Amino acid sequence: MAQEYFEISFRLVAALFAGGLIGLERSYRGRAAGFPTHALVCIASSLLMPVTVYESHWFHPAADGARATIDPTRMAQGIMTGIGFLGAGVIVKEGLSVRGLTTAASIWVTAAIGILTGIGFYFAAGLCTLLTLGTLSLFRWIEGKLPTEHYANFSLRFARDAAMPEAELRRLVAEHGFSIYNLSYRLTGDGEQFEYRMVLRAIGSQSSRALSDALKADRSVLEYRIAPASD
């Protein structure tokens, strides 16, 4: 029995570690579904597997034929399907930001814990409750301390004969901590204006304000736009 409990603990912690690593990469890339979300989803998926792997711990049929007609795993499948719709309802997109992903994941893992509690698999349910609470608190703190990549769509417009040279533009952008991707050019305003368009990347979100201040001070700039890029 002790060996089996150790194996259950190892599997849940391994799931937490694997999901956390994937979420760590997503958090670094500035994605909405980051560290806690991936960890919770991975724990929940791992948590439900002992229902069948360690069935002898919680299911004791009264008769030999009972197993053929009574299958609690079917009920678990139905519960998790319904919880999926509930989780989707708490995810809200506001402009370019997404809220509620971690809440949706926590609802899902809570449902998984409820299933195991309902079938009497208390050890796995209790352990996962502790892991989930640790994920929601400790991982959120770690995520807040991590450097994060930020992307922005950037456009810049000049009079055709007063356009900033590309080399100078690259230097200005680099001085404010950005890298340039997908640079494009176009003439607009009946050919009287020249426009740069690109995607900017930086570590941290403070660079945009400094770049905006520098552009406001440049009288040759007719118009510019720095907009956070969604996932």
Side-chain angles (χ1 to χ4, degrees):
M1 183 71 69
Q3 177 63 31
E4 290 183 345
Y5 281 166
F6 173 80
E7 183 67 22
I8 294 170
S9 301
F10 178 80
R11 293 180 183 184
L12 288 174
V13 173
L16 173 66
F17 180 74
L21 281 180
I22 297 171
L24 185 64
E25 192 277 339
R26 292 290 83 196
S27 292
Y28 175 74
R29 300 296 179 184
R31 303 316 187 207
F35 203 3
T37 304
H38 283 77
L40 289 175
V41 169
C42 197
I43 291 175
S45 300
S46 176
L47 179 62
L48 289 175
M49 292 312 297
V51 173
T52 55
V53 176
Y54 297 98
E55 184 178 352
S56 60
H57 284 246
W58 54 268
F59 188 70
H60 307 285
D64 293 339
R67 184 67 183 89
T69 57
I70 302 175
D71 186 1
T73 60
R74 295 179 183 177
M75 178 63 72
Q77 292 171 0
I79 292 173
M80 297 312 291
T81 299
I83 291 297
F85 287 100
L86 178 61
V90 302
I91 299 174
V92 179
K93 188 174 188 299
E94 296 178 346
L96 296 175
S97 64
V98 179
R99 299 174 57 249
L101 288 170
T102 300
T103 301
S106 66
I107 289 173
W108 190 35
V109 74
T110 301
I113 293 170
I115 290 172
L116 292 192
T117 303
I119 63 177
F121 204 172
Y122 301 116
F123 174 77
L127 178 59
C128 193
T129 299
L130 296 177
L131 291 176
T132 300
L133 291 173
T135 299
L136 289 172
S137 56
L138 179 61
F139 280 25
R140 179 70 73 182
W141 179 82
I142 294 174
E143 187 178 40
K145 298 295 184 181
L146 290 173
T148 304
E149 286 185 339
H150 290 269
Y151 293 86
N153 295 311
F154 179 44
S155 61
L156 187 61
R157 187 176 299 179
F158 302 90
R160 180 172 181 172
D161 297 330
M164 179 183 294
E166 181 180 335
E168 184 177 344
L169 173 64
R170 289 183 177 275
R171 179 188 56 78
L172 175 66
V173 168
E175 285 178 352
H176 289 86
F178 285 103
S179 300
I180 293 177
Y181 295 90
N182 302 326
L183 178 62
S184 63
Y185 323 84
R186 76 166 184 167
L187 286 175
T188 185
D190 295 327
E192 296 301 320
Q193 296 177 350
F194 181 80
E195 183 177 83
Y196 291 107
R197 287 189 176 184
M198 67 204 76
V199 175
L200 300 180
R201 169 191 170 273
I203 303 298
S205 59
Q206 303 303 316
S207 302
S208 296
R209 169 59 62 183
L211 178 59
S212 175
D213 291 341
L215 294 172
K216 283 194 297 184
D218 189 338
R219 304 297 297 181
S220 67
V221 177
L222 299 180
E223 180 181 328
Y224 72 89
R225 179 174 180 267
I226 304 174
S230 59
D231 191 352

